[in-house]
Amino acid sequence: MSKFHVRRAAVLGAGVMGAQIAAHLANADIPVILFDLPAREGDKSGIVLRALEGLKKLEPAPLAANERLDRIEAANYDEHLARMGECDLVIEAIAERMDWKLDLFARVAPHLKPGAIFATNTSGLSIARLAEGLPQAQRDRFCGIHFFNPPRYMALVELIPTAATQPEMLDDLETFLTTALGKSVVRALDTPNFVANRIGVFSILAVMHHTARLGLAFDEADALTGPLIGRPRSATYRTADVVGLDTMAHVINTMRDALADDPWHAHFTVPAWLEALIARGALGQKTRAGIYRKDGKAIKVLSLETSDYIDSGREAAPEVLEILKLKNPAERFARLRASEHPHAQFLWSIFRDVFHYCAVHLGAVADNARDVDLAMRWGFGWQAGPFETWQAAGWQGIGAAIAEDIAAGRTMAAAPLPGWVGDGRSGVHGPQGSWSAREATDKPRSTLPCYRRQLFPDRVLGELEPASATLWENDGVRLWVAEGHGDVPVLSMKTRGVLTQDVVEGIIEAVARAERDHRGLVIWNPQPPFAYGADLKGVLKLIAAGDFAALERFVARFQHMTQTVKYAQVPVVVGLNGMALGGGCEITLHSARAVAALETYVGLVEAGVGLIPAGGGCKELALRAARLAPHSANNEVFPFLQNVFSTVAMASVGKSALHARELGLLRDSDVVVFHPGEVLHVALGQAGALAESGWRPRQAPRGIAVAGRAGIANCEMMLVNMREGGQISEHDHRVARAVATALCGGDIDAGSLVSEQWLLDVERALFVELLKQEKTQARIEHTMRTGKPLRN
């Protein structure tokens, strides 16, 4: 691994982007100095101080835990430039003005620490031109670094070297970004807008062109260019609103000014309607109006016919929906191309023109086709990149169709397809690597050591899947070993996060096999979520049949499963990514250790469907409170349950692994990993390390002190006030009181000593009783039908 360490970082520019980059560095526990211009009045660092306050209010939250704000110091260029010498990494993130950036470079260069990395965050300015603003001796430690917005959540970071950039420095920075910050890195060429924005903005321009050509409405185009074709729900025009219409215009103008020789140059223009919106200050989401506007609960969309906002909600034509449901991509594209319906013609046209553009420009914008596809997946949220989509649909057939449309003048530009497209290939991705038009060869993946930590990295179509061997499976789970890790098997669920009977039995069996044949066990899923919770669909069937005895047996078996995880004779480590809710959180609470990706959402959410945690979750939290009580002055259990009660009763979810730790749903000993692709590697290492240390399961005390009826009464006081204040309903109150009863060990004297089984019996009885309530049943049915909670 790299010996490069970032002990302290600096970010120059406390605007929205700079402040959020600083926040994500702070998320990674890196001290940050955030610089900006001196304020004209008051504290000279006032601009930064206001930006830091703003971080607390931004949604989605840039900070993974509020306490991480303490890692950021406010500074200004007049008073604190010398402190730049403390920093191993300096990221400039001021406005996209070449002259402003060059002026700042000249000012800060004398203060940079020898050996520090200096990087400029830009979405498309020339890195070579910016490098000229630095002394010759510092240029080998300089590069472009393009974070996508918002920096905490967007995976993609583009690294852009100059001819003078040290390769070793770039390797160090890529390693840091990958493991320390959890980013997915593409090395981009120094061309306008780099890789993702070059292709992504062109795809938006193609949508705009064909929207106008076919006379579609904006929401009509969005209905077609969202999840139906594997793109985000924000589709095209909503995405433009989120990005900011002024920012969108700036990027388009950058392409216009810098790409005069591009065959598609005539389309690099800001549409008149977009200029008009910008002129009147309707810049999108940040001004609460753009292409869309929210009026109360209604979403309105701009009508070009009336220049006013009208109701939105147009949908794709039924006949086109039927085409999109076809499983064979080749047939799907052939049917779209052959159809005369405007929606079908629109979809064929936007795909065709993006394919055409990517093929012509591959050698100029990216090192290889894999970088293009991954950049679009990581930076724009596409399920598949343009080359993957083309290859899946039949490379030669699509290529011939594009060539025919070029000859007929139907494409946005007349540029011919490059010769390599029709050289008999079946695509650009394969086991040997991905096609590089620049070097006319297939390029393999990076061999940086940090990527060996990603045992199952994001793959493009045609890449071989890493080897694994199945040891045992049932309909719910698969027990397998990764190549080189045979001493610790992995258990993965087949049920997309639903904890069915087969999953419960599978975990019990996997623990038994690990105890017999291995040193440990890791429970991890290749794709998120980890687990949403119990099989509510199955629960509804048993309720409809009135078979509450079967429901109680299932809950008892679930409890047996979590206890099996807890008391396994080998360490059971869970690897979390995405969601670990309900029963998934309970498995985590009982594990020897959890390894969680930063963006893991953890919570005991049963109260949302009118239930309480009954897979041992309440028991485990009560036990942890009892272990803490002897360390307090008065030896009372309830103070250690109070916050936990609120968390469980309100179905609160940790909005990051760090936040889950604050809520008490992850332990201090649990490990937070920033890159989700590294979770399995670290989890296997943790299981092995625990085994090496002679790990034994921690036994419960013979008697567990509980808060009892006094603790329930304390919770009841909070609940009555909330109910009287209209914050919770009568049924919310009933459910929350059941949570209090389970956490406090039942209606017994405070300080009573009980067993784990007692606590399990209490929570199971309360759970089944709540299942019999009509309002709980209505909540479960509503959640299953709509995906949303019901307040009743």
Side-chain angles (χ1 to χ4, degrees), residues 41 357 541:
E41 298 179 357
Y357 189 82
K541 286 182 180 178

Side-chain angles (χ1 to χ4, degrees), residues 535-547 551 780:
D535 178 14
L536 292 180
K537 189 175 181 180
V539 167
L540 284 176
K541 286 182 180 178
L542 290 173
I543 289 173
D547 196 349
L551 283 166
I780 296 172

Side-chain angles (χ1 to χ4, degrees), residues 1-15:
M1 294 295 290
S2 167
K3 298 298 188 292
F4 172 71
H5 301 289
V6 180
R7 294 173 178 83
R8 189 178 302 277
V11 176
L12 313 182

Side-chain angles (χ1 to χ4, degrees), residues 506-583:
I507 292 173
I508 294 169
E509 176 66 18
V511 171
R513 287 172 177 262
E515 288 177 330
R516 186 185 70 207
D517 300 328
H518 302 281
R519 303 170 66 222
L521 175 68
V522 168
I523 305 176
W524 171 85
N525 291 327
Q527 298 295 329
F530 175 71
Y532 289 124
D535 178 14
L536 292 180
K537 189 175 181 180
V539 167
L540 284 176
K541 286 182 180 178
L542 290 173
I543 289 173
D547 196 349
F548 290 97
L551 283 166
E552 183 162 8
R553 287 195 298 272
F554 174 73
V555 177
R557 194 63 176 162
F558 198 106
Q559 292 178 336
H560 174 68
M561 177 268 289
T562 56
Q563 291 291 91
T564 298
V565 168
K566 180 176 181 179
Y567 292 114
Q569 296 305 296
V570 294
V572 178
V573 176
V574 295
L576 308 180
N577 184 19
M579 299 279 188
L581 304 178

Side-chain angles (χ1 to χ4, degrees), residues 110 118 122 140 158 256 278 284 338 342 378 382 416 457 486 497 532 544 623 683 751 778 791:
F118 184 48
T122 173
D140 63 347
E158 293 174 315
R256 179 200 64 200
I278 294 169
W378 294 335
W382 292 12
Y532 289 124
L623 175 56
R791 287 290 304 278

